[in-house]
Amino acid sequence: MDPTTDNAGPSGNPGTARDALEALRAEIAKAVVGQDPAVTGLVVALLCRGHVLLEGVPGVAKTLLVRALASALELDTKRVQFTPDLMPSDVTGSLVYDTRSAEFSFQPGPVFTNLLLADEINRTPPKTQSSLLEAMEERQVTVDGTPRALPDPFLVAATQNPVEYEGTYPLPEAQLDRFLLKLTIPLPSRQDEIDVLTRHAEGFNPRDLHAAGVRPVAGPADLEAARAAVAKTTISPEITAYVVDICRATRESPSLTLGVSPRGATALLATARAWAWLTGRDYVIPDDVKALALATLRHRVQLRPEAEMEGVTADSVINAILAHVPVPR
């Protein structure tokens, strides 16, 4: 995804909306070095009204990436540090007694925002993890029997550490399936790491994105126009069948105990459609499906223990399936 403009404000026009969303990479690059695939994945999730799980070792700018995206998108953002003692009401909000009016009033929690950064989500118990289920699926929060709608757009960007398991609570399959994409944040290349250190030596402060020059290049109007355009992107019956064949192949793989559900197939079709529009086409091709298959499916499958012991990964299984499922012509 190559930026075609350095500054495109909110407009509501589909063509300008694409330019504005493409400009995000250049804007976020002022704060985050590299990580273009993760930036693209976050934009795809916004277009699909989905949520993202970011996985990477500490210190690879997962939190900074989400903060830079919020600053470049002119969206309200809140951060929750998930800890073992965090309660569901700390996320959703609760009823508070007002002594002056002698009545209970609802105090909204941090989930009432456009972009919620759920930092280290696997460090909190399942009871608190599940407090996000309704918000992620229904885009509302029910407190004391009263449903309260969340703002639009609404995206949960959750982070987790893949190498530290002590004191963590792995996300159950039901919650993993609520995430549209699982993006892996790799360690930077040698040159990217040199660039990071050079920036810090020159005074870059990751806590002050405004000083780093990050400015809004898109807004809610651009997102709305982009989503409308994505919905008009053509999907042929052959592409639909291709997505179904890929997902059905995961259910028959001898390396997996759990394959991709129909919800996962729907997600892959949606992300491929968004990617096709971002690349400038109004129709989906097989390469769009392949481009988003790993990020959309890797967290929706479960490896057999014996396959895991042999070094098989979810990514390697999906790549093998992509290599064997016939591509429509």
Side-chain angles (χ1 to χ4, degrees), residues 158-219:
T159 70
Q160 67 177 14
N161 181 350
V163 296
E164 189 176 357
Y165 296 105
E166 188 171 346
T168 63
Y169 304 83
L171 293 172
E173 285 72 21
Q175 180 138 10
L176 282 173
D177 204 37
R178 295 298 197 282
F179 288 99
L180 180 72
L181 300 172
K182 179 181 177 182
L183 304 175
T184 56
I185 311 297
L187 289 166
S189 65
R190 180 177 182 272
Q191 186 55 53
D192 283 345
E193 196 163 359
I194 290 173
D195 292 343
V196 170
L197 268 61
T198 301
R199 289 188 180 191
H200 280 264
E202 293 173 349
F204 171 71
N205 182 1
R207 297 173 183 82
D208 190 355
L209 295 179
H210 185 77
V214 179
R215 300 288 185 269
V217 294

Side-chain angles (χ1 to χ4, degrees), residues 81-87 90 123-125 128:
Q81 182 66 51
F82 280 76
T83 57
D85 60 347
L86 193 74
M87 300 298 292
D90 296 330
R123 287 202 170 276
T124 200
T128 304

Side-chain angles (χ1 to χ4, degrees), residues 236-265:
S236 69
E238 292 78 14
I239 292 295
T240 302
Y242 181 50
V243 169
V244 169
D245 289 344
I246 290 171
C247 294
R248 291 181 68 85
T250 65
R251 302 169 203 162
E252 300 166 1
S253 171
S255 299
L256 302 176
T257 58
L258 179 68
V260 177
S261 69
R263 194 211 313 254

